[in-house]
């Protein structure tokens, strides 16, 4: 793989504009190459004497390069370090400006200087943020240790302790202190003293760090004094903590064992995210240094000049190349995490901090092909079985479609939704949309499009196997056994979903179940993106949810014994027919209200009104389906029309961020991940068209030659397709927002808040 493609593949998507613009610089080198080729063509063939002179000249030049390479390199470029506001700014002077075509070289080095200054400034800012966060984590650990001492032995908590030598974050604090001193050296260039370097791999180095730390914090502090102005800063994320925050006095300062455990858990998550941040910053530095080296070597190769060593020396001496604090701090964080969060088990700590990348397995691709081929074969066998044996010719088809078809349509809707999700993941990966970070998946635990496609095709295969088994038993005198096949399939899927063993993508199943549970408990849980994204998926599965109600009653009431569907006319069933349809929209409404209260964002209030309007529209359409008269029909059209137009506007303008009139891409947005603008316009048209799929339930439209149940399922599938399209552009917009704010880390809350007004994050 060429370095350009490898460089793009390895850069952090949210920081892509902060990296060295390797592709653009490479294009400038192509211009230099073209200029050199034109110069050669223009000079033409020299005479024999000139050739001889040229040969002697080249020989002399070669001798000079061998004897004094440094002198010749310095004659090509001269790089100056211009200090602006205590920060480095590099400017390169091209010393061969009199040459023909030198303007291309001058432009190249001017752009290279801009890139170096940009990368250097960004890296410096990130390191400074890391220093501040390291100091804050140290302060948080002090509070945690003091709180632990108080709860463990309240009587002895008044005795003074050396927090500088007993706190778990002493290595972290010492590294921070050294970083702050080095920071002064880089900023002012006035302090030239040598700071003793301490290797992070030896025990002796940690003892030396402990000695330095003791001198930095020589005072003795009492745990009671440490936590005197400390408050627990645990946000109400669960129903219990939500009610507790409402009923409890915000001024109380009684710490409990539960507060200690929760605080330790939050700090553990903060250390994991901080370690990830350190790794990303370190990789940013390494990849940019490699890119500078590659681009300068290409310049030397194209021009024949030896300018790379001079420029790369400057790059190595810059903050980007000479700052080693991130690597040292990584060692301190890993040591602290190992000692105090994994009970000294280094292997477990590394599994958490440095999870191995998931390797693609060939058997997944093989099973996808196997299940796909099996599904196609079973579909063909099903058609053949119905036509050849003439099943359901004498009215049996109506009974089968009314009673049995809804049982399998649930699996069909799930299959289609997973198929669309697999396509979304493929496109997100292709366009470098960082969906694992957006959803908050654990590193290495996210499912790729192949795994999702494998699950979808497995559902398809076993569903078709159930259908053909059902039809085959219809030809025999087995009245009850065929009816329990859908029940067996659903029970198997449910068992796999809730299986407590670490098989069948355990972490992904737990993540899905946890998110679904938080959705059902809205608004008592804090709303994060996975929760409201999953709730949006449920709003597109209303028909499948209604079929689940039918599925439950069909087997619980014993209707499967004789395919009796009279229970659908029961009053209680009809009430729940209303309720289950509005549950997904009501969940989204409650989630929006929760976010309105927490974030004080008025847009969440408007979003709640949008979903409430949809709830009203669904109720009106359901009422019209049960009571066919002109009043209900008019109300259905009115409410559904209002809700649809609001939803269309929200989809395109708010969720997708499109229809920006003054953007550089007219009527789209400033940044797009897809190069062809027509794709966005086509997606908007398709979204508008599919948003009106509800009209089928009002107009009672039926596809000729198909049963009404099939028509309803097809239109329900159109909504699932629309949701799949919406998913891609929704995450694209979220990703671009992260890119615009250079947001590549999660914001992890810290457990303690300080009364002095500082470090209250």
């Amino acid at each position: 793989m060429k370095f350009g493609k490898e460089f793009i593949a390895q850069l952090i998507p949210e920081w892509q504009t902060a990296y060295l613009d390797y592709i653009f610089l490479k294009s400038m080198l192509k211009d230099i190459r073209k200029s050199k080729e034109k110069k050669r063509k223009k000079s033409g063939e020299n005479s024999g004497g000139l050739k001889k002179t040229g040969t002697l000249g080249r020989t002399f030049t070669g001798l000079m390069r061998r004897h004094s390479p440094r002198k010749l390199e310095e004659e090509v470029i001269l790089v100056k370090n211009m200090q602006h506001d205590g920060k480095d700014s590099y400017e390169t002077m091209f010393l061969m400006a009199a040459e023909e075509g030198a303007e291309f070289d001058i432009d190249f080095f001017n752009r290279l200087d801009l890139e170096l200054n940009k990368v250097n400034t960004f890296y410096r800012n990130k390191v400074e943020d890391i220093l501040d966060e390291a100091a804050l984590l140290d302060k948080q650990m002090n509070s945690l240790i003091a709180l632990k001492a108080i709860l463990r032995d309240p009587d002895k908590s008044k005795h003074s302790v050396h927090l500088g030598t007993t706190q778990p974050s002493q290595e972290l604090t010492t590294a921070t202190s050294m970083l702050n001193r080095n920071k002064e050296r880089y900023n002012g260039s006035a302090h030239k003293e040598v700071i003793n370097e301490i290797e992070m791999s030896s025990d002796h180095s940690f003892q030396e760090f402990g000695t330095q730390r003791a001198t930095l914090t020589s005072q003795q502090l009492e745990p009671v004094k440490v936590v005197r102005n400390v408050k627990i800063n645990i946000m109400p994320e669960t129903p219990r903590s939500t009610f507790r925050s409402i009923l409890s006095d915000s001024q109380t300062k009684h710490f409990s064992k539960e507060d200690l455990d929760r605080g330790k858990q939050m700090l553990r998550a903060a250390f994991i995210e901080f370690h990830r941040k350190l790794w990303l910053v370190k990789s940013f530095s390494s990849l940019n240094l490699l890119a500078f080296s590659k681009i300068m070597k290409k310049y030397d190769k194209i021009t024949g000049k030896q300018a790379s060593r001079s420029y790369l020396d400057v790059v190595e001496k810059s903050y980007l190349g000479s700052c080693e604090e991130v690597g040292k701090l990584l060692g301190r964080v890993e040591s602290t995490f190992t000692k105090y969060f994994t009970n000294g088990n280094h292997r477990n700590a590394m599994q958490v901090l440095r999870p191995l990348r998931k390797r693609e397995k060939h058997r997944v691709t093989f099973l996808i092909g196997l299940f796909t081929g099996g599904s196609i074969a079973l579909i063909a066998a099903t058609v053949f079985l119905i036509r050849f044996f003439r099943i359901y010719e004498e009215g049996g088809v109506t009974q089968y479609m009314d009673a049995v078809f809804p049982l399998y349509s649930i699996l069909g809707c799930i299959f289609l939704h997973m198929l669309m999700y697999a396509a979304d993941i493929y496109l997100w990966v292709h366009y470098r949309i960082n969906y694992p970070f957006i959803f908050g998946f654990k590193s290495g635990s996210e499912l790729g499009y192949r795994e999702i496609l494998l699950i979808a095709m497995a559902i398809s295969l076993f569903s078709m196997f159930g259908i053909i088994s059902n039809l085959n038993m219809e030809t025999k005198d087995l009245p009850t056994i065929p009816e329990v096949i859908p029940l067996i399939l659903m029970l198997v899927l449910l068992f796999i979903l809730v299986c407590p063993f670490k098989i069948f993508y355990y972490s992904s199943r737990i993540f899905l179940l946890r998110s679904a549970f938080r959705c059902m408990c809205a608004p008592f849980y804090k709303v994060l993106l996975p929760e409201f994204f999953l709730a949006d998926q449920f709003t597109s599965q209303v028909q499948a949810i209604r079929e689940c109600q039918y599925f439950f009653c069909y087997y619980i009431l014993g209707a499967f014994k004789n395919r009796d569907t009279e229970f659908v006319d029961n009053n209680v069933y009809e009430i729940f027919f209303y309720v289950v349809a509005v549950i997904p929209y009501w969940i989204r409404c409650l989630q929006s209200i929760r976010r309105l209260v927490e974030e004080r964002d008025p847009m969440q209030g408007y979003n709640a009104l949008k979903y409430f309007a949809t709830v009203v529209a669904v109720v009106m359409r359901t009422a019209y389906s049960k009571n066919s008269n002109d009043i209900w029909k008019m109300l259905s059209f009115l409410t559904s029309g209002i809700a649809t137009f609001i939803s269309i506007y929200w989809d395109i303008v708010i969720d997708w961020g499109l229809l920006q009139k003054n953007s550089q891409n007219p009527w789209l947005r400033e940044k797009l991940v897809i190069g062809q603008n027509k794709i966005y316009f086509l997606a908007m048209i398709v979204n508008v068209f599919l948003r009106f799929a509800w009209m089928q339930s009002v107009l009672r439209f039926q596809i000729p030659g198909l049963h009404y149940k099939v028509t309803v399922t097809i239109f329900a599938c159109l909504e699932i397709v629309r949701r799949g399209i919406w998913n891609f552009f929704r995450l694209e917009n979220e990703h671009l927002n992260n890119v615009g704010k250079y947001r590549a880390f999660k914001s992890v809350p810290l457990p303690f808040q300080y009364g002095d007004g500082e470090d209250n994050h």
Side-chain angles (χ1 to χ4, degrees):
M1 181 184 293
K2 292 185 177 181
F3 177 74
K5 293 182 179 180
E6 187 178 355
F7 178 75
I8 294 175
Q10 292 185 10
L11 59 81
I12 302 167
E14 289 78 10
W15 292 353
Q16 56 188 357
T17 57
Y19 280 84
L20 173 74
D21 197 344
Y22 182 84
I23 302 301
F24 183 78
L25 290 171
K26 191 175 177 181
S27 67
M28 296 185 74
L29 290 180
K30 291 181 180 179
D31 295 335
I32 294 176
R33 177 184 292 166
K34 291 179 181 178
S35 174
K36 299 297 180 185
E37 291 176 353
K38 289 181 180 179
K39 182 179 178 180
R40 293 192 194 99
K41 290 181 181 179
K42 187 177 180 180
S43 61
E45 295 291 336
N46 295 325
S47 61
L50 290 176
K51 288 182 180 179
K52 185 176 180 180
T53 304
T55 303
L56 291 173
R58 287 192 297 271
T59 304
F60 175 75
T61 302
L63 291 172
M64 291 296 293
R65 287 178 179 174
R66 286 196 295 269
H67 288 286
S68 57
R70 186 65 183 170
K71 184 176 179 181
L72 287 175
E73 289 170 9
E74 291 176 350
E75 292 178 355
V76 178
I77 58 173
L78 178 62
V79 186
K80 297 180 180 180
N81 184 358
M82 313 295 292
Q83 291 286 333
H84 294 292
D85 298 329
K87 296 183 179 180
D88 297 330
S89 178
Y90 298 96
E91 294 181 5
T92 302
M93 180 182 296
F94 186 67
L95 302 179
M96 305 178 101
E99 285 188 354
E100 183 180 354
E103 63 273 9
F104 293 102
D105 299 80
I106 295 173
D107 291 341
F108 173 79
F109 281 106
N110 287 340
R111 182 56 186 258
L112 192 63
D113 291 338
L114 290 175
E115 294 296 320
L116 176 58
N117 294 331
K118 177 190 71 175
V119 172
N120 210 37
T121 301
F122 182 84
Y123 183 69
R124 180 190 294 271
N125 293 336
K126 289 300 175 184
V127 172
E128 290 176 354
D129 292 341
I130 284 173
L131 299 183
D132 296 337
E133 188 170 351
L136 179 57
L137 284 175
D138 174 65
K139 190 173 182 179
Q140 292 279 324
M141 288 298 293
N142 285 341
S143 302
L144 183 69
I145 292 302
L147 178 59
K148 185 177 180 180
I150 292 174
L151 293 177
R152 183 175 60 243
D153 195 347
D155 295 332
K156 295 183 180 181
S157 62
K158 295 182 180 180
H159 296 288
S160 60
V161 295
H162 286 278
L163 291 180
T165 56
T166 61
Q167 62 182 355
S169 55
Q170 59 182 358
E171 299 93 344
L172 183 63
T173 308
T174 307
T176 305
S177 302
M178 290 184 64
L179 295 180
N180 287 329
R181 286 186 287 171
N182 287 344
K183 181 178 173 183
E184 294 177 359
R185 181 187 68 184
Y186 281 113
N187 287 341
S189 299
H191 303 284
K192 300 296 183 180
E193 66 274 10
V194 178
I195 299 178
N196 294 327
E197 300 287 335
I198 301 175
E199 297 298 328
M200 59 184 176
S201 58
S202 64
D203 295 335
H204 175 72
S205 64
F206 282 104
Q207 294 174 3
E208 188 175 351
F209 258 65
T211 304
Q212 293 183 9
R213 177 59 180 154
T215 60
L216 291 171
T217 56
S218 58
Q219 59 181 350
Q220 293 183 346
L221 299 176
E222 297 179 5
V224 175
K225 292 181 179 180
V226 173
V227 299
R228 177 172 296 171
N229 295 321
V230 175
K231 297 179 181 178
I232 297 295
N233 189 31
I234 300 177
M235 297 297 295
E237 298 182 354
T238 63
R240 182 179 179 182
S241 61
T242 300
F243 285 117
R244 182 179 176 184
S245 64
I246 295 174
L247 299 177
S248 63
D249 183 7
S250 60
Q251 301 299 323
T252 57
K253 296 176 57 178
H254 298 290
F255 300 122
S256 63
K257 181 66 167 55
E258 181 183 355
D259 293 332
L260 177 64
D261 294 339
R262 180 58 177 159
K264 185 176 181 179
Q265 182 181 359
M266 293 175 70
L267 269 180
R268 183 180 186 273
F271 265 87
I272 293 173
E273 188 62 21
F274 183 61
H275 184 272
R276 177 176 174 271
K277 182 182 296 187
L278 290 171
W279 265 111
L280 292 182
V281 173
K282 184 178 180 181
S283 68
F284 175 84
S285 172
S286 302
L287 193 58
N288 277 289
L289 289 173
L290 182 59
F292 275 110
S293 176
K294 291 288 185 180
I295 201 68
M296 285 306 303
K297 288 180 180 179
K298 283 185 176 292
Y299 176 83
D300 288 355
K301 183 178 180 181
I302 290 174
T303 62
K305 301 180 177 68
Q306 300 297 319
S308 60
R309 184 181 299 179
S310 298
Y311 201 90
L312 292 178
D313 285 346
V314 174
V315 174
E316 290 177 1
K317 294 177 182 178
S318 68
Y319 194 85
L320 177 71
S322 59
C323 179
E324 300 178 354
E325 284 79 357
V326 174
K328 295 177 181 178
L329 193 55
L330 265 170
R332 286 11 177 227
V333 171
E334 290 176 357
S335 174
T336 301
F337 190 88
T338 300
K339 187 175 182 180
Y340 297 98
F341 292 102
T342 60
N343 295 324
N345 192 320
H346 183 265
R347 182 176 181 181
N348 290 346
M350 292 302 101
Q351 288 178 350
V352 175
L353 296 177
R354 300 184 185 181
L356 298 177
R357 286 189 176 183
K358 185 174 58 176
R359 299 168 63 181
E360 293 186 0
K361 300 177 180 179
H362 295 292
R363 69 168 177 264
V364 173
T365 305
F366 171 76
L367 290 176
I368 290 173
L370 179 65
F371 291 167
T372 303
S375 299
I376 295 174
L378 289 176
I379 291 173
T382 301
V383 175
F384 175 79
L385 189 63
I386 293 175
R387 295 294 183 183
F388 185 78
F389 290 99
R390 297 182 179 180
I391 302 176
Y392 303 131
E393 281 195 344
E394 299 180 357
V397 64
T398 301
Q399 186 186 29
Y400 182 87
M401 296 304 295
D402 288 338
V404 181
F405 178 79
L407 306 177
Y408 289 103
S409 66
I410 301 172
L411 298 173
C413 291
I414 296 174
F415 163 75
L416 179 61
H417 210 135
M418 299 196 71
L419 206 62
M420 295 300 299
Y421 183 56
D424 286 330
I425 293 178
Y426 175 81
L427 293 174
W428 290 332
V429 173
H430 178 75
Y431 290 106
R432 294 189 53 76
I433 295 174
N434 195 358
Y435 76 95
F437 169 70
I438 294 174
F439 285 130
F441 295 141
K442 290 182 180 179
S443 180
S445 66
E446 71 278 1
L447 297 182
Y449 71 92
R450 287 187 178 88
E451 288 80 10
I452 299 297
L453 192 60
L454 173 64
I455 298 172
M457 298 315 301
I459 292 175
S460 172
L461 177 67
F462 289 107
S463 298
M464 292 308 305
F465 181 79
I467 291 174
I468 198 170
S469 299
N470 193 308
L471 293 176
N472 186 42
M473 292 179 183
E474 290 287 332
T475 61
K476 304 174 183 179
D477 190 16
L478 298 172
T480 304
I481 295 179
E483 306 301 318
V484 300
I485 293 178
L487 178 62
I488 295 173
L489 290 175
M490 292 297 292
L491 289 177
V492 170
L493 289 178
L494 185 61
F495 171 76
I496 293 175
L497 182 62
V498 300
C499 178
F501 304 109
K502 293 186 177 181
I503 55 176
F504 302 125
Y505 308 119
Y506 175 78
S507 60
S508 297
R509 289 190 289 109
I510 294 300
F511 187 90
L512 175 62
L513 291 173
R514 184 186 296 114
S515 299
F517 179 76
R518 287 173 174 262
C519 288
M520 299 304 297
C521 294
F524 300 112
Y525 279 96
K526 183 178 177 63
V527 182
L528 302 175
L529 189 142
E531 281 79 48
F532 71 73
F533 189 87
L534 181 61
D536 280 326
Q537 309 308 304
F538 288 151
T539 61
S540 296
Q541 289 282 7
V542 171
Q543 182 61 32
I545 294 174
R546 279 177 165 169
E547 300 298 2
C548 287
Q549 176 193 353
Y550 173 84
F551 187 97
F552 181 80
C553 295
Y554 186 75
Y555 287 103
I556 292 297
L557 300 178
F560 68 95
K561 296 178 181 179
N562 53 5
R563 292 183 179 174
D564 183 12
T565 59
E566 293 182 356
F567 62 88
V568 298
D569 297 324
N570 185 277
N571 292 332
V572 176
Y573 183 89
E574 290 187 354
I575 292 174
F576 278 97
F577 195 74
Y578 283 87
V579 172
V580 297
V582 303
I583 285 177
Y585 302 103
W586 186 246
I587 289 174
R588 284 297 289 120
C589 182
L590 294 177
Q591 288 177 337
S592 299
I593 293 174
R594 166 95 186 209
R595 295 185 66 186
L596 173 64
V597 173
E598 286 187 344
E599 303 172 11
R600 306 295 180 184
D601 184 5
M603 293 301 294
Q604 297 301 326
Y606 300 139
N607 200 22
L609 291 176
K610 180 195 75 172
Y611 284 108
F612 182 77
T614 307
V615 168
V616 175
V618 170
V619 170
M620 292 301 170
R621 289 203 300 268
T622 306
Y624 174 66
S625 66
K626 300 295 182 181
N627 305 281
S628 301
N629 56 59
D630 294 337
I631 296 177
W632 287 115
K633 185 175 183 179
M634 181 183 66
L635 290 175
S636 298
F637 265 112
L638 180 62
T639 56
S640 298
I642 294 173
T644 300
F645 283 110
I646 294 174
S647 298
I648 290 173
Y649 172 82
W650 201 273
D651 288 343
I652 297 175
V653 178
I654 307 300
D655 291 338
W656 294 358
L658 302 177
L659 291 183
Q660 297 180 11
K661 183 178 180 181
N662 298 321
S663 66
Q664 63 181 7
N665 301 299
W667 297 106
L668 296 177
R669 67 168 100 89
E670 291 293 331
K671 295 182 179 180
L672 305 171
V673 299
I674 302 178
Q676 297 180 343
N677 292 359
K678 60 184 179 182
I679 299 296
Y680 293 90
F681 291 106
L682 179 62
M684 287 190 283
I685 294 172
V686 172
N687 184 76
V688 172
F689 176 76
L690 295 181
R691 270 290 184 184
F692 285 95
W694 56 266
M695 294 183 66
Q696 183 272 336
S697 62
V698 178
L699 298 177
R700 305 293 177 85
F701 175 76
Q702 185 172 349
I703 300 176
L706 294 179
H707 192 272
Y708 183 73
K709 291 279 187 180
V710 179
T711 303
V712 172
T713 302
I714 290 175
F715 277 86
C717 291
L718 292 179
E719 168 58 22
I720 297 174
V721 172
R722 188 202 67 81
R723 180 59 63 183
I725 298 172
W726 180 91
N727 289 344
F728 173 79
F729 293 101
R730 176 65 181 88
L731 248 67
E732 179 209 18
N733 189 35
E734 185 72 20
H735 170 75
L736 292 176
N737 289 334
N738 291 339
V739 171
K741 299 176 182 178
Y742 298 108
R743 187 166 51 203
F745 318 118
K746 292 187 294 184
S747 178
V748 180
L750 297 175
F752 302 111
Q753 184 177 7
Y754 301 95
D756 54 7
E758 298 180 358
D759 303 326
N760 295 334
H761 296 277

